[in-house]
Amino acid sequence: MTKAIMIQGAGSNVGKSLLVAGIARACLRRGLSVAPFKPQNMSNNAAVTTDGGEIGRAQALQARACGLDPQVDMNPVLLKPETDTGAQVIVQGKRFATMKARDYGKAKADLMPRVLESYHRLARNHDLILVEGAGSPAEINLRAGDIANMGFAEAADIPVLLAGDIDRGGVIAQLVGTYAVLPPDDRARIKAFLVNKFRGDPSLFTEGASAIADQTGWRNMGTVPWFADAWRLPAEDVMDIASRGGGAFKVAVPRLNRISNFDDLDPLVNEPGVTVDIIAPGQALPGDADLVLIPGSKSTIADLVDFRAQGWHIDLHAHIRRGGHVMGICGGYQMLGREIVDPEGLEGPHGRIDGLGHLDISTRLQPRKTLALTRAQHIASGAPVEGYEIHLGQTEGADTARAWLSVNGRPEGASSTDGRILGCYLHGLFASDAFRRTYLQSLGATVSDTAFDVRIENTLDDLARHLEAHLDLDALLAIAG
């Protein structure tokens, strides 16, 4: 019978995703067949799966930690925020609806059968399922119809391990407070707790951990020190995106309101010769940037309006006049063109909007979403490129005649006449080592012989060893039901 345990958090961003990834890799190293599962995720950082859908990027990383290809069953409900009050709802990899938060709250219970279907299908093929919660079970106002935390744990009859984040402070209150507000049945489902992100000597928290155990009756699984190399792994939460200093070559990235698929930045962050500068709203694009990279967006038109409101369009003009280089990926590619047309109101009121005008292209948004794992070739160098497409809309125009990628003989992307402004739909292209090195070198950057995939694998192994050293993994597996 397949074992399973659900890791929930006493709050958001306590490190659940990395805990699941690290425990998964540790179990894989022990010879177990293990798979990740997250009933409901909210993220615009999505991954395309081998079975033709999309899931949260964190579940794709966890699948990798398990030695698996990502599958839609690993994250059957994905919420992709489009506004402050609404999101696109992806169910088992496909677009289901766009809903306001209140309407989604009413629909959750109807989605539980689909969630359980995916879970049981996954469980049939593995020894252990590591389930990740979302947010916190202490949000008891969301308990009715819940599919993300205790509602799912109850429906699938899975024991729970509760994680707290000591780095934020108040971890005793986080964990004991969760115990205090939960109804008795949910409280009893939690079998153990752990404390995550400790800076310093974990033995200094021995009395604190004992106090939590005494107050709750839960078993202490351990105190996990801060994992310093966490930044090397793809982040899921936009709030985790941070500038990272490296070498003299500077890449400036405007942090769009609805930025999506920002894992495009991870290979650049891992280059020692490159500094990635995340430009927050209210800040100007820096005058000393070598490359301005405009990333993907879940709401391209709204983010284009905000791009102008921030004054970034003026900064970008100045950057180009100084001879700087620009790349737009997906939504950023669309923004660089002459116009974006939305005849069916897919992103709000139907109509058109002027683009930034740096590429002679026009984009028309269409209901059918392109979802594809893609192998391409960098035309200038012949370097192979692997990535994925996930977008609404088709782009055409004169500058597409200067496509700089080839996908099975099909031209992809566009470039300006001088070649300094590029755009394409292909996410993940910088993870292709040969292309990344070739492109950065052509702009004058010093590049390393870093193999990005190898670095990710090594970091996952290091994370597994880190957790094995500080968690009682045998006890965790014994608790798994």
Side-chain angles (χ1 to χ4, degrees):
M1 181 177 177
T2 300
K3 287 178 171 287
I5 191 166
M6 187 172 194
I7 297 178
Q8 297 184 11
S12 295
N13 207 25
V14 302
K16 300 185 297 294
S17 295
L18 283 190
L19 287 169
V20 169
I23 294 169
R25 177 54 63 94
C27 291
L28 180 69
R29 287 154 56 96
R30 291 184 173 203
L32 292 173
S33 172
V34 57
F37 183 79
K38 184 157 184 168
Q40 173 193 290
N41 198 352
M42 178 178 285
S43 177
N44 278 331
N45 208 21
V48 175
T49 64
T50 52
D51 47 356
E54 56 181 311
I55 61 174
R57 173 57 55 182
Q59 281 61 66
L61 177 66
Q62 292 162 357
R64 181 171 188 158
C66 296
L68 302 173
D69 291 328
Q71 304 167 32
V72 296
D73 283 335
M74 294 172 178
N75 175 207
V77 177
L78 173 62
L79 307 179
K80 305 183 77 173
E82 294 180 330
T83 67
D84 290 341
T85 59
Q88 185 180 107
V89 182
I90 308 296
V91 177
Q92 292 178 326
K94 302 299 183 184
R95 182 183 182 277
F96 176 74
T98 294
M99 292 184 174
K100 298 292 185 184
R102 185 176 300 277
D103 295 330
Y104 177 71
K106 298 174 182 176
K108 284 190 298 183
D110 294 333
L111 294 176
M112 180 67 88
R114 304 280 294 276
V115 170
L116 289 170
E117 177 186 54
S118 285
Y119 169 74
H120 289 301
R121 190 157 48 216
L122 201 62
R124 284 197 292 269
N125 297 312
H126 298 283
D127 303 322
L128 173 68
I129 305 297
L130 293 173
V131 184
E132 180 186 342
S136 167
E139 296 162 340
I140 54 176
N141 56 308
L142 303 178
R143 179 61 173 89
D146 172 57
I147 63 173
N149 288 303
M150 285 300 180
F152 173 78
E154 178 184 41
D157 193 20
I158 296 175
V160 173
L161 168 64
L162 187 66
D165 176 5
I166 198 169
D167 190 55
R168 297 184 178 189
V171 72
I172 296 175
Q174 289 175 34
L175 293 165
V176 177
T178 300
Y179 174 89
V181 302
L182 287 179
D185 287 348
D186 287 351
R187 184 186 296 170
R189 192 166 291 282
I190 299 176
K191 305 301 182 184
F193 72 93
L194 66 83
V195 172
N196 197 23
K197 302 183 185 179
F198 191 92
R199 297 180 190 263
D201 181 358
S203 67
L204 297 176
F205 193 66
T206 300
E207 291 185 11
S210 295
I212 296 168
D214 290 343
Q215 292 282 337
T216 63
W218 298 332
R219 183 171 181 171
N220 177 18
M221 286 289 107
T223 298
V224 180
W226 186 272
F227 182 60
D229 283 344
W231 64 272
R232 294 190 183 279
L233 298 173
E236 181 177 57
D237 195 317
V238 66
M239 301 310 294
D240 291 333
I241 304 177
S243 299
R244 183 159 294 275
F249 187 86
K250 179 180 284 190
V251 181
V253 183
R255 199 184 78 193
L256 308 174
N257 273 343
R258 297 297 173 192
I259 187 172
S260 67
N261 301 91
F262 41 83
D263 55 300
D264 284 331
L265 307 178
D266 293 322
L268 299 175
V269 167
N270 276 275
E271 277 288 348
V274 173
T275 291
V276 176
D277 195 359
I278 307 298
I279 311 304
Q283 298 179 342
L285 298 180
D288 61 345
D290 298 286
L291 171 66
V292 172
L293 178 61
I294 306 178
S297 167
K298 186 64 190 71
S299 300
T300 304
I301 291 176
D303 275 352
L304 177 54
V305 171
D306 189 65
F307 194 98
R308 287 194 169 98
Q310 299 297 330
W312 287 336
H313 63 307
I314 299 172
D315 301 335
L316 187 64
H317 274 286
H319 169 79
I320 293 169
R321 285 198 305 270
R322 288 190 296 267
H325 291 260
V326 180
M327 180 182 287
I329 299 177
C330 200
Y333 173 36
Q334 294 173 343
M335 291 183 196
L336 285 171
R338 290 182 287 103
E339 65 174 2
I340 301 173
V341 182
D342 186 5
E344 299 189 36
L346 299 173
E347 291 196 357
H350 61 82
R352 65 170 298 281
I353 185 172
D354 288 336
L356 298 172
H358 298 298
L359 287 174
D360 188 5
I361 57 173
S362 174
T363 297
R364 184 181 183 89
L365 301 184
Q366 300 171 342
R368 182 177 177 274
K369 178 182 284 190
T370 298
L371 286 170
L373 295 171
T374 303
R375 291 187 175 184
Q377 186 178 56
H378 182 223
I379 293 173
S381 67
V385 180
E386 291 191 19
Y388 62 97
E389 296 179 59
I390 179 170
H391 62 90
L392 296 175
Q394 299 296 319
T395 297
E396 57 185 21
D399 282 350
T400 62
R402 285 182 293 275
W404 51 284
L405 295 171
S406 173
V407 179
N408 296 323
R410 168 179 63 84
E412 164 58 29
S415 62
S416 59
T417 53
D418 59 10
R420 290 191 292 113
I421 302 169
L422 302 178
C424 73
Y425 277 118
L426 193 61
H427 290 289
L429 71 169
F430 288 117
S432 299
D433 299 323
F435 166 75
R436 184 180 69 254
R437 294 173 188 140
T438 297
Y439 178 68
L440 292 176
Q441 282 180 323
S442 74
L443 304 188
T446 299
V447 297
S448 69
D449 58 358
T450 299
F452 180 68
D453 282 344
V454 171
R455 177 163 286 185
I456 294 294
E457 289 296 316
N458 290 342
T459 304
L460 286 170
D461 285 336
D462 290 343
L463 176 61
R465 285 188 285 267
H466 179 76
L467 295 183
E468 284 180 303
H470 299 285
L471 287 182
D472 190 342
L473 192 59
D474 289 330
L476 185 151
L477 291 173
I479 290 171

